Amino acid sequence: MMKCICSGEHLRVDEIIPSSESLATRDYSASGYSSRAGETDTKVDTSNIEEAESSLRESGFLNYEEARALLGRLEYQKGNVEAALRVFEGIDIAAVIPRIKITIVRRCELPRRHSQSDNTLPMSMHAVSLLIEAIFLKAKSLQALGRYTEAAQSCKVILDTFESAIPDGLPENLASDCKLLETLNKAVELLPDLSQLAYDPQEAILAYRRALLYQWNLDVETRTKLEKDFAIFLLYSGHDASPPNLRSQMEGSFAPRNNVEEAILLLLLILKKFMLKRIGWDPSILDHLGFALSIAGECRSLAHQIEELPPGTVEGKEKYTSLALCYHAEGDDMTALNLLRNLLNNRENHNCGFELLLASKICTEDSYSLEEGIEYIYKLLAQSEKCDQRASLANYLRGLSLSAQSRGVGSDAQRISRQSEALGALEIAQRTTKGKNSSILFSLSLENAEQRKLDAALYYAKQLLKLEAGSNVKTWILLARILSAQKRYVDAENMIDAALDEAGKWDQGELLRTKAKLQIVQGRLRDAVETYTKLLAVLQVQRKSFRAQQKLLKDKQNGSTNLEMETWHDLANVYTGLSQWRDAEICLSKSEAINPHSASRLHSAGLLYEAKGLPKEALKSFEKALDIEPNHIPSLISTAIILRQISNQSPPVVKSFLTDALRLDRTNSTAWYNLGLLYKSESSASALEAAECFEAAAILQESEPVEPFR
């Protein structure tokens, strides 16, 4: 064999050197790769001898490349990575690859009854397996030495060889050589890892796809691992993958358009294999799938996948909680709450702090479940004595619940009591978190603002702005509204301008609308029209951008649509104030094209009719608005005003509209003012009530923001 290595000639059967140790030592010494002096390795892998014997039996000689492949393997197994690499680099890969390809092609064409030693093959299948393994071990050696790009190139040689020789995938009759398939599986699995180590994400994506799309006859475990690793890479690597080019794509079948969709597809394939009992359960698959489907806005699909899992796969408490989160994310709060009720009513379930927190949050957002939510909150507080963070969240939710209750009670005494309790709970939450929780600070500022405690509201809003470093548009708008309630319109507009400089273009919509309303209240109607025009231009560009990714951005898209519709209404009202009837009508037609059943649009149309001197048509518009949305406060007030002007309706009918408006919003100065006019027109006996209404209207108007705080 040494003669073969040194001369590059074939080694005949009768020239074989029986000792693999002497083979290694001789070649190692002759090549200048000898071990440290005095060291000998008595542990020899007999598989090298068996491989040599197999090749000699089949072809009658062991050629130069095969001898080096055996020697390189031996050095690699002994841990001499650098020595192994030098041996492998002596193999002329460019020369052997064409012969390997021809051998593979002819071997695949042979009927199964032919033996592997068929004389038509340029080299034996054992030799092919040996050389492929040598290329793979060369890649492993390069990896061990940190030369990842070269290692990846070595791996690609193996994959390119088989893909070009057998484009349709490995046939079944190649499976007889288990060693070859094992090496191929390892190479396919290694290439994506090497590309990542070489900081080449696009090559890693291509490596994963070629591993999964080509028929490599991978075993289930290897394929599943590749699918999982690829899904994780797509979700968390931060690199955008272009859509895959599926050569054998069937018409009508699904093709992923982005990283998230491709990751979801891979994870669903793994989940299907588990359902078919081809693999064991891996809880992390559900975690990654949950993340992918949630950011894709498909939490209901996630719930369906969880429900389809065999009983016992996910523990009962975890299953109910996960399903509740899914339905809550999809806006189906009643289903989520029912799931949590089933969980919380089971006495066997302990340590349900998170579930109580979620149930409390859902109840806080539903006016019909506020009492139930407060019960959950008190249970949560009882469990949170040693946990300040949980206690602060519980008090935060208690404050939100009491605030919501205060807006629904009829008695002034009850309302004031609930408002006071709400502020107290929010202040406790704020002290517990030491002013570091942005949600608590926002709610505290908002609650003070609604109670017209504007100085306190402004203080907390400034603290929040500092905490968030001006990154939240909602905080800027709240601060501007508080300043407008203090009649500091110029300061408020300056705040909005500063926010516009900080905000991204997609976050400027609400800011521009607030700026336009500040300009209106200052009498600068032409400036307001210009601001609204700019806002509509931003929304138009935003809408075109969202069309490309409708599902991922469906919530933002809905918000953008609503903002556009309300902008047309605001602009119509401005044109109505300027007596530009035609322009107002165009704005309303634009809004109708977006949503023909909008109470806000019908109210703006009624104001236009009223300005034109057509009260009956105005009344019809207001009534239609109330048919669509019975609690639409502006329409309730406008209906009362028109009825008092043109109708012989009894005062109680007019009064009912105004009291309904005040039941929904006790801080509406216009409703109080018109109620005072109604009392004044009735009789002198109602003069005191009229005066009280006028006083309330005056006080509220002094601290009225350009937009409602909430």
Side-chain angles (χ1 to χ4, degrees), residues 302-314:
L302 176 60
H304 176 71
Q305 293 299 327
I306 295 172
E307 289 167 347
E308 289 294 312
L309 291 173
T313 304
V314 180

Side-chain angles (χ1 to χ4, degrees), residues 184-451:
L184 282 175
N185 280 7
K186 289 178 180 178
V188 168
E189 191 176 358
L190 180 63
L191 182 55
D193 294 337
L194 293 174
S195 298
Q196 291 179 64
L197 290 169
Y199 302 105
D200 194 339
Q202 291 304 320
E203 281 298 322
I205 290 167
L206 292 174
Y208 276 121
R209 284 176 177 166
R210 77 188 298 183
L212 296 171
L213 294 176
Y214 185 78
Q215 184 62 42
W216 293 106
N217 292 340
L218 300 173
D219 56 78
V220 176
E221 289 76 14
T222 302
R223 186 174 184 84
T224 302
K225 182 181 182 301
L226 283 165
E227 289 169 343
K228 178 183 174 181
D229 290 347
F230 189 24
I232 291 171
F233 183 83
L234 289 167
L235 289 174
Y236 312 117
S237 69
H239 297 281
D240 290 329
S242 57
N245 180 20
L246 303 180
R247 291 174 297 178
S248 56
Q249 178 75 11
M250 293 178 61
E251 187 177 352
S253 59
F254 174 76
R257 296 168 295 180
N258 51 56
N259 284 34
V260 176
E261 287 188 359
E262 193 166 1
I264 290 171
L265 179 61
L266 291 164
L267 293 167
L268 288 176
L269 289 172
I270 297 173
L271 209 56
K272 183 177 180 180
K273 280 186 272 191
F274 166 72
M275 301 289 284
L276 296 173
K277 299 181 179 180
R278 295 175 60 192
I279 58 172
W281 173 241
D282 180 358
S284 67
I285 297 301
L286 199 58
D287 296 336
H288 297 307
L289 184 62
F291 173 76
L293 287 172
S294 62
I295 63 175
E298 290 289 353
C299 288
R300 193 174 293 276
S301 298
L302 176 60
H304 176 71
Q305 293 299 327
I306 295 172
E307 289 167 347
E308 289 294 312
L309 291 173
T313 304
V314 180
E315 189 264 330
K317 179 183 171 184
E318 181 185 351
K319 183 175 183 179
Y320 274 89
T321 304
S322 299
L323 288 172
L325 283 169
C326 290
Y327 286 112
H328 176 53
E330 285 290 329
D332 190 353
D333 285 342
M334 287 311 300
T335 301
L337 188 56
N338 286 332
L339 287 163
L340 291 169
R341 284 169 180 160
N342 291 335
L343 182 63
L344 295 170
N345 291 335
N346 187 344
R347 295 182 179 180
E348 295 180 1
N349 291 320
H350 305 289
N351 299 322
C352 294
F354 177 78
E355 289 73 20
L356 284 168
L357 195 62
L358 181 58
S360 304
K361 179 181 182 295
I362 293 172
C363 291
T364 300
E365 297 167 356
D366 178 20
S367 59
Y368 297 104
S369 305
L370 291 173
E371 288 292 343
E372 182 183 359
I374 290 175
E375 289 180 15
Y376 290 137
I377 289 168
Y378 283 120
K379 288 181 181 178
L380 183 62
L381 282 169
Q383 295 182 12
S384 306
E385 295 177 355
K386 297 181 180 180
C387 180
D388 289 344
Q389 185 178 10
R390 187 175 289 180
S392 68
L393 289 173
N395 278 305
Y396 165 62
L397 290 173
R398 184 163 72 94
L400 295 183
S401 298
L402 291 167
S403 175
Q405 279 188 326
S406 71
R407 295 191 292 274
V409 296
S411 164
D412 287 344
Q414 283 184 323
R415 186 183 70 259
I416 293 170
S417 174
R418 297 286 167 81
Q419 286 178 337
S420 177
E421 288 182 58
L423 270 181
L426 290 171
E427 286 169 354
I428 292 171
Q430 188 266 343
R431 285 195 299 271
T432 307
T433 57
K434 300 178 181 179
K436 300 300 182 183
N437 187 303
S438 59
S439 298
I440 293 172
L441 280 174
F442 183 86
S443 297
L444 196 51
S445 177
L446 180 60
E447 188 62 31
N448 276 290
E450 286 199 317
Q451 295 184 33

Side-chain angles (χ1 to χ4, degrees), residues 147 168 423 457:
R147 295 159 62 179
D168 296 330
L423 270 181

Side-chain angles (χ1 to χ4, degrees), residues 483-502:
L483 290 170
S484 72
Q486 294 179 328
K487 308 308 175 190
R488 296 165 58 183
Y489 299 123
V490 175
D491 290 340
E493 190 172 352
N494 288 337
M495 281 289 175
I496 294 297
D497 287 335
L500 287 168
D501 291 337
E502 295 289 332

Side-chain angles (χ1 to χ4, degrees), residues 482-672:
I482 294 169
L483 290 170
S484 72
Q486 294 179 328
K487 308 308 175 190
R488 296 165 58 183
Y489 299 123
V490 175
D491 290 340
E493 190 172 352
N494 288 337
M495 281 289 175
I496 294 297
D497 287 335
L500 287 168
D501 291 337
E502 295 289 332
K505 60 180 180 179
W506 298 149
D507 296 324
Q508 292 182 357
E510 291 288 354
L511 291 168
L512 287 169
R513 188 183 183 202
T514 302
K515 180 176 181 176
K517 291 192 174 184
L518 287 166
Q519 291 168 335
I520 290 170
V521 78
Q522 295 175 75
R524 294 156 50 200
L525 298 185
R526 296 295 178 186
D527 290 343
V529 170
E530 184 179 340
T531 303
Y532 278 128
T533 303
K534 183 178 180 180
L535 169 56
L536 289 168
V538 170
L539 292 174
Q540 185 177 14
V541 174
Q542 190 175 16
R543 185 173 61 251
K544 290 179 179 179
S545 174
F546 284 173
R547 282 174 185 165
Q549 32 188 338
Q550 285 182 351
K551 197 61 180 178
L552 287 175
L553 298 169
K554 62 180 180 180
D555 292 336
K556 279 192 174 183
Q557 191 176 15
N558 291 337
S560 176
T561 301
N562 291 333
L563 179 58
E564 182 181 1
M565 187 171 63
E566 292 302 326
T567 300
W568 285 118
H569 301 162
D570 292 346
L571 198 51
N573 294 340
V574 172
Y575 283 130
T576 299
L578 292 169
S579 300
Q580 295 179 216
W581 316 131
R582 180 58 185 160
D583 290 332
E585 289 169 356
I586 291 172
C587 291
L588 292 174
S589 66
K590 295 285 188 179
S591 168
E592 188 175 13
I594 298 171
N595 181 7
H597 307 294
S598 167
S600 179
R601 180 187 64 81
L602 289 166
H603 177 259
S604 294
L607 294 177
L608 177 60
Y609 285 126
E610 187 180 2
K612 285 181 174 182
L614 303 171
K616 291 184 178 179
E617 285 76 4
L619 182 60
K620 289 179 182 178
S621 285
F622 296 143
E623 288 173 343
K624 287 179 181 178
L626 292 173
D627 288 340
I628 294 171
E629 191 178 331
N631 291 335
H632 190 250
I633 295 172
S635 295
L636 287 169
I637 297 170
S638 295
T639 301
I641 293 171
I642 293 293
L643 285 174
R644 194 171 61 81
Q645 290 175 351
I646 69 170
S647 174
N648 294 323
Q649 296 277 353
S650 60
V653 176
V654 178
K655 183 180 177 181
S656 67
F657 284 103
L658 294 172
T659 53
D660 282 347
L662 288 171
R663 175 179 55 81
L664 296 166
D665 180 12
R666 300 287 296 181
T667 62
N668 193 300
S669 61
T670 306
W672 283 111

